[in-house]
Amino acid sequence: ISRNAIAHIASYAAKEISGADVVGHRVHLDPALKPIFSLLPSGVKVTFTKDGKAVIRLDVVLNKGCNVTATCEAVQERVATVIGLMCDLVPFDIRIKVARIV
């Protein structure tokens, strides 16, 4: 399974949590000047260890007033569950970085 696929799955899973969002996709312009989103969310980084386990780093944006710890734990749990179900891969490390609170 590619890093891009895991990154997209992790991004969509994180967005399912109320009060959290992943730092947005990069926008590029095609020759006709229509915006095209890149294939990889800019707030998700996926690497693999030598033994093939995934390390997923998510840069999240949280809503002001939410419980930061509880929201980040919910994001970690949701991403781990969805990746495990969809990819038959259980990431051993999901790192959350709070990029902004809006």
Side-chain angles (χ1 to χ4, degrees):
I1 298 175
S2 75
R3 281 183 251 174
N4 287 351
I6 293 172
H8 276 289
I9 293 167
S11 176
Y12 288 114
K15 290 178 183 183
E16 292 178 357
I17 302 301
S18 177
D21 197 1
V22 176
V23 173
H25 289 69
R26 295 183 188 112
V27 177
H28 300 285
L29 295 176
D30 72 0
L33 299 178
K34 295 178 183 174
I36 298 177
F37 293 97
S38 71
L39 296 177
L40 189 62
S42 62
V44 182
K45 307 250 186 304
V46 178
T47 56
F48 292 101
T49 61
K50 291 181 182 178
D51 58 353
K53 293 185 179 180
V55 178
I56 301 169
R57 187 177 141 232
L58 294 154
D59 294 340
V60 297
V61 177
L62 300 179
N63 289 340
K64 191 173 190 175
C66 74
N67 183 326
V68 174
T69 303
T71 304
C72 289
E73 286 176 357
V75 169
Q76 283 180 316
E77 290 172 11
R78 184 65 186 154
V79 169
T81 300
V82 172
I83 294 288
L85 290 172
M86 295 184 77
C87 301
D88 197 28
L89 173 73
V90 179
F92 77 96
D93 194 12
I94 299 173
R95 299 175 187 172
I96 305 290
K97 174 184 168 189
V98 178
R100 286 187 307 255
I101 296 178
V102 293

